[in-house]
Amino acid sequence: MQYRFIGFEPSVDRGDATKSATEALARFSEEAAKDGWEFYSIENHSTVVPGSNGCFGWGAVSPYPKTVSIAVFRK
């Protein structure tokens, strides 16, 4: 079996975030299915985005945590 992993960060509406996220996942899955991929799962992983020193301290950014969603497809 083959697996494919794709980052999934849908834009959501303020009114019904769950509905807009599920509709985005449905469209995403339908597109992948055209190439023979079957949706398998969504995995969430936590990481830390590295900071930056900036230029002589100007524009410095602290590291921050981020959770990324990854859609898993199989064939």
Side-chain angles (χ1 to χ4, degrees):
M1 188 157 290
Q2 296 176 311
Y3 290 90
R4 183 176 179 193
F5 304 89
I6 304 171
F8 180 69
E9 293 190 37
S11 298
V12 294
D13 297 330
R14 285 187 182 267
D16 193 346
T18 301
K19 181 180 177 189
S20 57
T22 55
E23 288 172 350
L25 181 56
R27 286 190 304 273
F28 198 56
S29 297
E30 289 167 5
E31 281 298 312
K34 291 177 184 177
D35 292 328
W37 292 97
E38 173 190 16
F39 173 74
Y40 183 68
S41 69
I42 290 282
E43 303 293 329
N44 294 313
H45 296 277
S46 297
T47 189
V48 175
V49 177
S52 164
N53 292 333
C55 183
F56 300 109
W58 291 89
V61 177
S62 297
Y64 60 92
K66 181 170 174 77
T67 299
V68 295
S69 296
I70 300 170
V72 181
F73 295 88
R74 67 183 178 182
K75 226 198 240 200

